[in-house]
Coordinates of all heavy atoms in Angstrom, one line a residue:
M1 N -19.1 85.3 -32.0 CA -19.2 83.9 -31.9 C -18.1 83.2 -32.7 O -17.9 83.5 -33.8 CB -20.6 83.5 -32.4 CG -20.9 82.0 -32.3 SD -21.0 81.3 -30.6 CE -22.3 82.2 -29.9
P2 N -17.4 82.2 -32.1 CA -16.4 81.5 -32.8 C -16.9 80.7 -34.0 O -18.1 80.4 -34.0 CB -15.8 80.5 -31.7 CG -16.2 81.1 -30.4 CD -17.5 81.8 -30.7
K3 N -16.1 80.4 -34.9 CA -16.5 79.6 -36.1 C -16.9 78.2 -35.7 O -16.4 77.7 -34.7 CB -15.4 79.6 -37.1 CG -15.2 80.9 -37.9 CD -14.2 80.7 -39.0 CE -14.1 81.9 -39.8 NZ -13.1 81.8 -40.9
T4 N -17.7 77.6 -36.6 CA -18.1 76.2 -36.4 C -16.8 75.4 -36.4 O -16.1 75.4 -37.4 CB -19.0 75.8 -37.5 OG1 -20.2 76.7 -37.5 CG2 -19.5 74.4 -37.4
P5 N -16.6 74.6 -35.4 CA -15.4 73.7 -35.3 C -15.5 72.5 -36.3 O -16.6 72.2 -36.7 CB -15.3 73.3 -33.9 CG -16.6 73.5 -33.3 CD -17.3 74.5 -34.1
S6 N -14.3 71.9 -36.5 CA -14.3 70.7 -37.4 C -15.2 69.6 -36.8 O -15.2 69.5 -35.6 CB -12.8 70.2 -37.4 OG -12.8 69.0 -38.0
P7 N -15.8 68.9 -37.7 CA -16.7 67.8 -37.2 C -15.8 66.6 -36.6 O -16.4 65.7 -36.1 CB -17.4 67.3 -38.5 CG -17.2 68.4 -39.5 CD -16.0 69.1 -39.1
C8 N -14.5 66.7 -36.8 CA -13.7 65.6 -36.3 C -13.8 65.6 -34.7 O -13.8 66.6 -34.1 CB -12.2 65.9 -36.6 SG -11.0 64.7 -35.9
I9 N -14.0 64.3 -34.2 CA -14.1 64.2 -32.8 C -12.9 63.4 -32.2 O -12.9 62.7 -31.2 CB -15.4 63.5 -32.4 CG1 -15.6 62.2 -33.1 CG2 -16.6 64.5 -32.6 CD1 -16.8 61.4 -32.5
D10 N -11.8 63.4 -32.9 CA -10.5 62.9 -32.5 C -10.5 61.4 -32.4 O -9.8 60.8 -31.5 CB -10.0 63.6 -31.3 CG -9.8 65.1 -31.5 OD1 -9.3 65.4 -32.5 OD2 -10.1 65.8 -30.5
V11 N -11.1 60.7 -33.3 CA -11.1 59.2 -33.3 C -10.1 58.8 -34.4 O -9.2 58.1 -34.2 CB -12.5 58.6 -33.6 CG1 -12.3 57.1 -33.8 CG2 -13.4 58.9 -32.4
C12 N -10.3 59.4 -35.6 CA -9.4 59.3 -36.8 C -8.9 57.9 -37.1 O -7.7 57.6 -37.2 CB -8.2 60.2 -36.6 SG -8.7 61.9 -36.4
K13 N -9.9 57.0 -37.3 CA -9.6 55.6 -37.8 C -10.4 55.4 -39.0 O -11.7 55.3 -39.0 CB -9.9 54.6 -36.7 CG -9.1 54.7 -35.5 CD -9.3 53.6 -34.5 CE -8.7 53.7 -33.2 NZ -7.3 53.5 -33.1
F14 N -9.8 55.3 -40.2 CA -10.5 55.3 -41.5 C -10.7 53.8 -41.9 O -10.0 53.3 -42.8 CB -9.6 56.0 -42.5 CG -9.5 57.5 -42.1 CD1 -8.4 58.0 -41.4 CD2 -10.5 58.4 -42.5 CE1 -8.3 59.3 -41.1 CE2 -10.3 59.7 -42.2 CZ -9.3 60.2 -41.5
K15 N -11.6 53.2 -41.2 CA -11.9 51.8 -41.4 C -13.2 51.4 -42.1 O -13.4 50.3 -42.3 CB -11.9 51.1 -40.0 CG -10.5 51.1 -39.3 CD -10.6 50.3 -38.0 CE -9.2 50.3 -37.4 NZ -9.1 49.5 -36.2
R16 N -14.0 52.4 -42.5 CA -15.2 52.1 -43.1 C -15.1 52.6 -44.6 O -15.6 53.6 -44.9 CB -16.4 52.9 -42.4 CG -16.7 52.3 -41.1 CD -17.9 52.9 -40.5 NE -19.1 52.3 -41.1 CZ -20.3 52.7 -40.9 NH1 -20.6 53.7 -40.1 NH2 -21.4 52.2 -41.5
E17 N -14.4 51.8 -45.4 CA -14.2 52.1 -46.8 C -13.7 53.6 -47.0 O -14.1 54.3 -47.8 CB -15.5 52.0 -47.6 CG -16.0 50.5 -47.6 CD -17.4 50.4 -48.3 OE1 -17.9 51.3 -48.9 OE2 -17.9 49.2 -48.2
G18 N -12.7 53.9 -46.2 CA -12.1 55.2 -46.2 C -12.7 56.3 -45.4 O -12.3 57.4 -45.4
H19 N -13.8 56.0 -44.7 CA -14.5 56.9 -43.8 C -14.1 56.7 -42.4 O -14.0 55.5 -41.9 CB -16.0 56.8 -44.0 CG -16.5 57.2 -45.3 ND1 -17.0 58.4 -45.6 CD2 -16.6 56.5 -46.4 CE1 -17.4 58.5 -46.8 NE2 -17.2 57.3 -47.4
C20 N -13.9 57.8 -41.6 CA -13.6 57.7 -40.2 C -14.7 57.0 -39.4 O -15.9 57.4 -39.7 CB -13.2 59.1 -39.7 SG -12.9 59.1 -37.9
I21 N -14.4 56.2 -38.5 CA -15.4 55.5 -37.7 C -16.0 56.5 -36.6 O -17.0 56.2 -36.1 CB -14.9 54.2 -37.0 CG1 -13.8 54.5 -36.1 CG2 -14.6 53.2 -38.1 CD1 -13.4 53.3 -35.2
G22 N -15.3 57.6 -36.4 CA -15.8 58.6 -35.4 C -16.7 59.6 -36.0 O -17.8 60.0 -35.4
C23 N -16.4 60.2 -37.2 CA -17.1 61.3 -37.7 C -17.7 61.1 -39.1 O -18.4 61.9 -39.6 CB -16.3 62.6 -37.7 SG -14.8 62.5 -38.8
S24 N -17.2 60.1 -39.8 CA -17.6 59.7 -41.2 C -16.8 60.4 -42.3 O -17.0 60.1 -43.4 CB -19.1 59.7 -41.4 OG -19.5 61.0 -41.9
M25 N -16.0 61.4 -41.9 CA -15.2 62.1 -43.0 C -14.2 61.2 -43.6 O -13.6 60.3 -42.9 CB -14.6 63.3 -42.4 CG -15.5 64.5 -42.1 SD -14.6 66.0 -41.8 CE -13.9 65.8 -40.2
T26 N -13.9 61.4 -44.9 CA -12.7 60.8 -45.5 C -11.6 61.8 -45.3 O -11.8 62.9 -44.9 CB -13.0 60.7 -47.0 OG1 -13.2 62.0 -47.6 CG2 -14.2 59.8 -47.3
K27 N -10.4 61.4 -45.6 CA -9.2 62.2 -45.5 C -9.4 63.5 -46.4 O -9.0 64.6 -46.0 CB -7.9 61.5 -45.9 CG -7.6 60.5 -44.8 CD -6.3 59.7 -45.1 CE -6.0 58.7 -44.0 NZ -4.8 57.9 -44.2
A28 N -10.0 63.3 -47.6 CA -10.2 64.4 -48.5 C -11.2 65.4 -47.9 O -11.0 66.6 -48.0 CB -10.7 63.9 -49.9
Q29 N -12.2 64.9 -47.3 CA -13.2 65.8 -46.6 C -12.6 66.5 -45.5 O -12.9 67.7 -45.3 CB -14.4 65.0 -46.2 CG -15.3 64.5 -47.3 CD -16.4 63.6 -46.8 OE1 -16.2 62.8 -45.9 NE2 -17.6 63.7 -47.5
K30 N -11.7 65.9 -44.7 CA -11.0 66.6 -43.6 C -10.2 67.8 -44.2 O -10.2 68.9 -43.6 CB -10.1 65.6 -42.9 CG -10.9 64.7 -41.9 CD -10.0 63.9 -41.1 CE -9.5 64.7 -40.0 NZ -9.4 64.1 -38.7
S31 N -9.5 67.5 -45.3 CA -8.7 68.6 -45.9 C -9.6 69.7 -46.4 O -9.3 70.9 -46.3 CB -7.9 68.0 -47.1 OG -6.9 67.1 -46.6
L32 N -10.7 69.3 -47.0 CA -11.7 70.3 -47.6 C -12.2 71.2 -46.4 O -12.3 72.4 -46.6 CB -12.8 69.7 -48.3 CG -13.9 70.6 -48.8 CD1 -13.4 71.5 -49.8 CD2 -15.1 69.7 -49.3
F33 N -12.6 70.6 -45.3 CA -13.2 71.4 -44.2 C -12.2 72.5 -43.8 O -12.5 73.6 -43.5 CB -13.6 70.5 -43.0 CG -14.3 71.3 -42.0 CD1 -15.6 71.6 -42.1 CD2 -13.6 71.9 -40.9 CE1 -16.3 72.4 -41.1 CE2 -14.2 72.7 -39.9 CZ -15.6 72.9 -40.0
K34 N -10.9 72.1 -43.7 CA -9.8 73.0 -43.2 C -9.7 74.3 -44.2 O -9.3 75.3 -43.7 CB -8.5 72.3 -43.1 CG -8.4 71.3 -42.0 CD -7.1 70.6 -42.0 CE -7.1 69.5 -41.0 NZ -5.9 68.7 -41.0
Q35 N -10.1 74.1 -45.4 CA -10.1 75.2 -46.4 C -11.3 76.1 -46.3 O -11.2 77.2 -46.9 CB -9.9 74.6 -47.8 CG -8.7 73.9 -48.0 CD -8.7 73.2 -49.4 OE1 -9.4 73.6 -50.3 NE2 -7.9 72.1 -49.5
L36 N -12.3 75.7 -45.6 CA -13.6 76.5 -45.6 C -13.4 77.7 -44.6 O -13.1 77.4 -43.4 CB -14.8 75.7 -45.2 CG -15.1 74.5 -46.1 CD1 -16.2 73.7 -45.5 CD2 -15.5 75.0 -47.5
K37 N -13.5 78.9 -45.0 CA -13.3 80.1 -44.2 C -14.6 80.7 -43.7 O -14.7 81.1 -42.6 CB -12.5 81.1 -44.9 CG -11.2 80.7 -45.4 CD -10.3 80.2 -44.3 CE -8.9 79.7 -44.8 NZ -8.3 78.8 -43.9
K38 N -15.6 80.7 -44.5 CA -16.9 81.3 -44.1 C -17.7 80.3 -43.2 O -17.7 79.1 -43.5 CB -17.8 81.6 -45.3 CG -17.3 82.7 -46.2 CD -18.3 83.0 -47.2 CE -17.9 84.2 -48.0 NZ -18.8 84.6 -49.1
D39 N -18.2 80.8 -42.1 CA -18.9 80.0 -41.2 C -20.1 79.3 -41.8 O -20.5 78.2 -41.5 CB -19.3 80.7 -39.9 CG -19.5 79.8 -38.7 OD1 -18.7 78.9 -38.5 OD2 -20.5 80.0 -38.0
S40 N -20.8 80.0 -42.7 CA -22.0 79.4 -43.4 C -21.6 78.2 -44.2 O -22.3 77.2 -44.3 CB -22.7 80.4 -44.3 OG -21.8 80.9 -45.3
H41 N -20.4 78.2 -44.8 CA -19.9 77.1 -45.5 C -19.6 75.9 -44.6 O -19.8 74.8 -44.9 CB -18.6 77.4 -46.3 CG -18.9 78.4 -47.4 ND1 -17.9 79.0 -48.1 CD2 -20.1 78.9 -47.9 CE1 -18.4 79.9 -49.0 NE2 -19.8 79.8 -48.9
R42 N -19.0 76.3 -43.4 CA -18.7 75.2 -42.4 C -19.9 74.6 -41.9 O -20.0 73.4 -41.7 CB -17.9 75.9 -41.2 CG -16.5 76.2 -41.6 CD -15.8 77.1 -40.5 NE -14.4 77.1 -40.7 CZ -13.5 76.5 -39.9 NH1 -13.9 75.9 -38.8 NH2 -12.2 76.5 -40.2
E43 N -21.0 75.4 -41.6 CA -22.2 74.8 -41.1 C -22.8 73.9 -42.2 O -23.4 72.9 -41.9 CB -23.2 76.0 -40.8 CG -22.8 76.7 -39.5 CD -23.8 77.8 -39.2 OE1 -24.8 78.0 -39.9 OE2 -23.5 78.6 -38.3
G44 N -22.8 74.4 -43.4 CA -23.3 73.5 -44.5 C -22.6 72.2 -44.7 O -23.2 71.2 -44.9
F45 N -21.3 72.3 -44.5 CA -20.5 71.0 -44.5 C -20.9 70.1 -43.4 O -21.1 68.9 -43.7 CB -19.0 71.4 -44.4 CG -18.1 70.2 -44.5 CD1 -17.5 69.9 -45.7 CD2 -17.8 69.4 -43.4 CE1 -16.7 68.8 -45.8 CE2 -17.0 68.3 -43.5 CZ -16.4 68.0 -44.8
V46 N -21.1 70.6 -42.2 CA -21.5 69.7 -41.1 C -22.9 69.1 -41.4 O -23.1 67.9 -41.1 CB -21.5 70.5 -39.8 CG1 -22.1 69.7 -38.6 CG2 -20.1 70.9 -39.4
K47 N -23.8 69.9 -41.9 CA -25.1 69.3 -42.3 C -25.0 68.3 -43.4 O -25.7 67.3 -43.3 CB -26.0 70.5 -42.7 CG -26.4 71.3 -41.5 CD -27.3 72.5 -41.8 CE -27.5 73.3 -40.6 NZ -28.3 74.5 -40.8
M48 N -24.1 68.5 -44.4 CA -23.9 67.5 -45.4 C -23.3 66.2 -44.8 O -23.7 65.1 -45.1 CB -22.9 68.0 -46.4 CG -22.5 67.1 -47.5 SD -21.2 65.8 -47.1 CE -19.9 66.8 -46.6
L49 N -22.4 66.4 -43.8 CA -21.8 65.3 -43.2 C -22.8 64.5 -42.4 O -22.8 63.2 -42.3 CB -20.7 65.8 -42.2 CG -19.7 64.7 -41.7 CD1 -18.9 64.1 -42.9 CD2 -18.8 65.2 -40.7
M50 N -23.8 65.2 -41.7 CA -24.8 64.5 -41.0 C -25.7 63.6 -41.9 O -26.1 62.5 -41.5 CB -25.7 65.5 -40.2 CG -24.9 66.1 -39.1 SD -25.7 67.5 -38.3 CE -27.3 66.9 -37.9
A51 N -25.9 64.1 -43.1 CA -26.7 63.3 -44.1 C -25.9 62.1 -44.5 O -26.5 61.0 -44.6 CB -27.0 64.2 -45.3
Q52 N -24.6 62.3 -44.6 CA -23.7 61.2 -45.0 C -23.7 60.1 -43.8 O -23.8 58.9 -44.1 CB -22.3 61.7 -45.2 CG -21.3 60.6 -45.5 CD -19.9 61.3 -45.8 OE1 -19.8 61.9 -46.8 NE2 -18.9 61.1 -44.9
Q53 N -23.7 60.6 -42.6 CA -23.7 59.7 -41.5 C -25.0 58.9 -41.4 O -25.1 57.7 -41.1 CB -23.5 60.5 -40.2 CG -22.2 61.1 -40.0 CD -22.1 62.0 -38.8 OE1 -23.1 62.4 -38.2 NE2 -20.9 62.4 -38.5
A54 N -26.1 59.6 -41.7 CA -27.5 59.0 -41.6 C -27.5 57.9 -42.7 O -28.1 56.8 -42.5 CB -28.6 60.0 -41.9
E55 N -26.9 58.1 -43.9 CA -26.9 57.2 -44.9 C -26.1 55.9 -44.6 O -26.5 54.8 -44.8 CB -26.4 57.8 -46.2 CG -26.5 56.9 -47.4 CD -27.9 56.7 -47.9 OE1 -28.8 57.5 -47.7 OE2 -28.0 55.6 -48.6
M56 N -24.9 56.2 -44.0 CA -24.0 55.1 -43.6 C -24.4 54.3 -42.4 O -24.1 53.2 -42.2 CB -22.6 55.7 -43.4 CG -22.0 56.2 -44.7 SD -20.4 57.0 -44.4 CE -19.4 55.5 -44.2
G57 N -25.1 55.0 -41.4 CA -25.5 54.4 -40.2 C -24.3 54.3 -39.2 O -23.2 54.5 -39.5
K58 N -24.7 54.0 -37.9 CA -23.7 53.8 -36.8 C -22.9 55.0 -36.4 O -21.7 54.9 -36.1 CB -22.8 52.6 -37.2 CG -23.5 51.3 -37.4 CD -22.5 50.2 -37.6 CE -23.3 48.9 -37.9 NZ -22.4 47.8 -38.1
Y59 N -23.5 56.2 -36.5 CA -22.8 57.4 -36.1 C -23.6 58.2 -35.0 O -23.5 59.4 -34.8 CB -22.5 58.3 -37.2 CG -21.4 57.8 -38.1 CD1 -21.7 57.1 -39.3 CD2 -20.1 58.0 -37.7 CE1 -20.6 56.6 -40.0 CE2 -19.0 57.5 -38.5 CZ -19.3 56.8 -39.7 OH -18.3 56.3 -40.4
G60 N -24.5 57.4 -34.3 CA -25.3 58.1 -33.3 C -24.6 58.8 -32.2 O -25.1 59.8 -31.7
G61 N -23.4 58.4 -31.8 CA -22.7 59.1 -30.7 C -22.0 60.3 -31.2 O -21.6 61.1 -30.3
W62 N -21.9 60.5 -32.5 CA -21.1 61.7 -33.0 C -21.8 63.0 -32.6 O -21.1 63.9 -32.1 CB -21.0 61.6 -34.5 CG -20.4 62.9 -35.1 CD1 -19.1 63.1 -35.2 CD2 -21.1 64.0 -35.6 NE1 -18.9 64.4 -35.7 CE2 -20.2 64.9 -36.0 CE3 -22.5 64.4 -35.7 CZ2 -20.5 66.2 -36.5 CZ3 -22.8 65.6 -36.2 CH2 -21.8 66.5 -36.6
R63 N -23.1 63.1 -32.6 CA -23.8 64.3 -32.3 C -23.5 64.8 -30.9 O -23.3 66.0 -30.6 CB -25.3 64.2 -32.4 CG -25.8 64.4 -33.8 CD -27.4 64.4 -33.8 NE -27.9 64.5 -35.1 CZ -28.8 65.4 -35.5 NH1 -29.3 66.2 -34.6 NH2 -29.2 65.4 -36.7
I64 N -23.5 63.8 -30.0 CA -23.2 64.2 -28.6 C -21.8 64.6 -28.4 O -21.5 65.7 -27.8 CB -23.5 62.9 -27.7 CG1 -25.0 62.6 -27.7 CG2 -23.0 63.2 -26.2 CD1 -25.3 61.2 -27.2
A65 N -20.8 63.9 -29.0 CA -19.4 64.3 -28.9 C -19.2 65.6 -29.6 O -18.4 66.5 -29.0 CB -18.5 63.2 -29.5
Y66 N -19.8 65.9 -30.7 CA -19.6 67.1 -31.4 C -20.2 68.3 -30.7 O -19.7 69.4 -30.6 CB -20.1 67.0 -32.9 CG -19.8 68.3 -33.7 CD1 -18.5 68.6 -34.0 CD2 -20.8 69.1 -34.2 CE1 -18.2 69.7 -34.7 CE2 -20.5 70.2 -34.9 CZ -19.2 70.5 -35.2 OH -18.9 71.6 -35.9
T67 N -21.4 68.1 -30.1 CA -22.0 69.1 -29.3 C -21.1 69.6 -28.1 O -21.0 70.7 -27.9 CB -23.4 68.7 -28.8 OG1 -24.2 68.4 -29.9 CG2 -24.1 69.8 -27.9
K68 N -20.5 68.6 -27.5 CA -19.6 68.9 -26.4 C -18.4 69.7 -26.9 O -17.9 70.6 -26.2 CB -19.1 67.6 -25.7 CG -20.2 66.9 -24.9 CD -19.6 65.6 -24.3 CE -20.7 64.9 -23.5 NZ -20.2 63.6 -22.9
K69 N -17.9 69.3 -28.1 CA -16.8 70.0 -28.6 C -17.1 71.5 -28.9 O -16.4 72.4 -28.6 CB -16.3 69.3 -29.9 CG -15.1 70.0 -30.6 CD -14.7 69.2 -31.9 CE -13.5 69.8 -32.5 NZ -13.0 69.0 -33.6
C70 N -18.3 71.7 -29.5 CA -18.8 73.0 -29.8 C -18.9 73.9 -28.6 O -18.4 75.0 -28.5 CB -20.1 73.0 -30.6 SG -20.0 72.4 -32.3
R71 N -19.5 73.3 -27.5 CA -19.6 74.0 -26.3 C -18.3 74.4 -25.7 O -18.1 75.5 -25.2 CB -20.4 73.2 -25.3 CG -21.9 73.2 -25.6 CD -22.6 72.4 -24.5 NE -24.0 72.2 -24.9 CZ -24.8 71.2 -24.6 NH1 -24.2 70.2 -23.9 NH2 -26.0 71.1 -25.0
K72 N -17.3 73.5 -25.7 CA -16.0 73.7 -25.2 C -15.3 74.9 -25.9 O -14.6 75.7 -25.3 CB -15.2 72.4 -25.3 CG -13.8 72.5 -24.7 CD -13.1 71.2 -24.8 CE -11.7 71.3 -24.2 NZ -11.0 70.1 -24.2
K73 N -15.6 75.0 -27.2 CA -15.0 76.0 -28.0 C -15.8 77.3 -28.0 O -15.4 78.3 -28.7 CB -14.7 75.5 -29.4 CG -13.7 74.4 -29.5 CD -13.3 74.1 -30.9 CE -12.2 73.0 -30.9 NZ -10.8 73.6 -30.8
G74 N -16.9 77.3 -27.4 CA -17.8 78.5 -27.3 C -18.6 78.7 -28.6 O -19.0 79.8 -28.8
A75 N -18.7 77.7 -29.4 CA -19.5 77.8 -30.7 C -20.8 77.1 -30.5 O -21.0 76.2 -29.7 CB -18.7 77.2 -31.8
N76 N -21.8 77.5 -31.3 CA -23.1 76.8 -31.4 C -23.0 75.7 -32.4 O -22.4 75.8 -33.5 CB -24.2 77.8 -31.9 CG -24.5 78.8 -30.9 OD1 -24.5 78.6 -29.7 ND2 -24.8 80.0 -31.3
A77 N -23.5 74.5 -32.0 CA -23.6 73.4 -32.9 C -24.6 73.8 -34.0 O -25.6 74.3 -33.7 CB -24.0 72.1 -32.2
P78 N -24.3 73.5 -35.3 CA -25.2 73.9 -36.4 C -26.4 72.9 -36.5 O -26.8 72.7 -37.6 CB -24.3 73.9 -37.6 CG -23.2 72.9 -37.2 CD -23.0 73.0 -35.8
F79 N -26.9 72.4 -35.5 CA -28.1 71.5 -35.5 C -28.7 71.5 -34.1 O -28.1 71.9 -33.1 CB -27.7 70.1 -35.9 CG -26.6 69.5 -35.1 CD1 -26.9 68.9 -33.9 CD2 -25.3 69.5 -35.5 CE1 -25.9 68.4 -33.1 CE2 -24.3 69.0 -34.7 CZ -24.6 68.4 -33.5
D80 N -29.9 71.0 -34.1 CA -30.6 70.9 -32.8 C -30.4 69.5 -32.3 O -30.7 68.5 -33.0 CB -32.1 71.1 -33.1 CG -32.9 71.0 -31.8 OD1 -32.4 70.9 -30.7 OD2 -34.2 71.1 -31.9
L81 N -29.8 69.3 -31.1 CA -29.5 68.0 -30.6 C -30.7 67.1 -30.4 O -30.6 65.9 -30.4 CB -28.7 68.2 -29.3 CG -28.1 66.9 -28.7 CD1 -27.1 66.3 -29.6 CD2 -27.4 67.2 -27.4
V82 N -31.8 67.7 -30.2 CA -33.0 66.9 -29.9 C -33.5 66.1 -31.1 O -34.1 65.1 -31.0 CB -34.2 67.9 -29.4 CG1 -35.4 67.1 -29.2 CG2 -33.7 68.6 -28.2
K83 N -33.1 66.5 -32.3 CA -33.6 65.8 -33.5 C -33.2 64.4 -33.6 O -32.2 63.9 -33.2 CB -33.0 66.5 -34.8 CG -33.7 67.8 -35.1 CD -33.1 68.4 -36.3 CE -33.7 69.7 -36.6 NZ -33.2 70.4 -37.8

């Protein structure tokens, strides 16, 4: 199974106090994700990011876009889309 892909959904506009309007990552978080080699760490990062999105609000479309990205790359999304 391929590794968990980056949570980036190719929007990359850092307009919410330094957070991307597409995925909620900061530039530092994007760099950090690239350094994560173990899939369990990548999955944990995505789950942390989802908590960040829930706190910030307005990221409802991210799950759908990220699920499509995971499917395209042949990876499982580290969450249940139904939640």
Side-chain angles (χ1 to χ4, degrees):
M1 182 62 64
K3 283 188 177 180
T4 302
S6 169
C8 176
I9 56 169
D10 299 322
V11 173
C12 302
K13 294 186 190 286
F14 298 92
K15 294 184 175 184
R16 292 189 74 188
E17 298 175 5
H19 293 266
C20 175
I21 63 172
C23 65
S24 86
M25 285 193 289
T26 63
K27 290 180 181 180
Q29 287 173 325
K30 285 185 78 141
S31 294
L32 174 64
F33 186 85
K34 291 176 186 176
Q35 295 172 22
L36 300 175
K37 302 299 178 204
K38 290 186 177 181
D39 202 44
S40 61
H41 294 169
R42 288 171 164 247
E43 288 179 9
F45 184 95
V46 171
K47 289 176 182 176
M48 175 281 304
L49 193 68
M50 290 170 54
Q52 177 174 294
Q53 291 170 350
E55 185 69 27
M56 295 178 74
K58 299 184 182 177
Y59 286 98
W62 174 85
R63 275 186 184 231
I64 295 165
Y66 186 64
T67 300
K68 287 179 184 177
K69 179 178 183 175
C70 289
R71 285 184 187 145
K72 185 177 179 181
K73 295 190 176 271
N76 289 326
F79 54 83
D80 182 6
L81 188 59
V82 180
K83 287 183 183 177

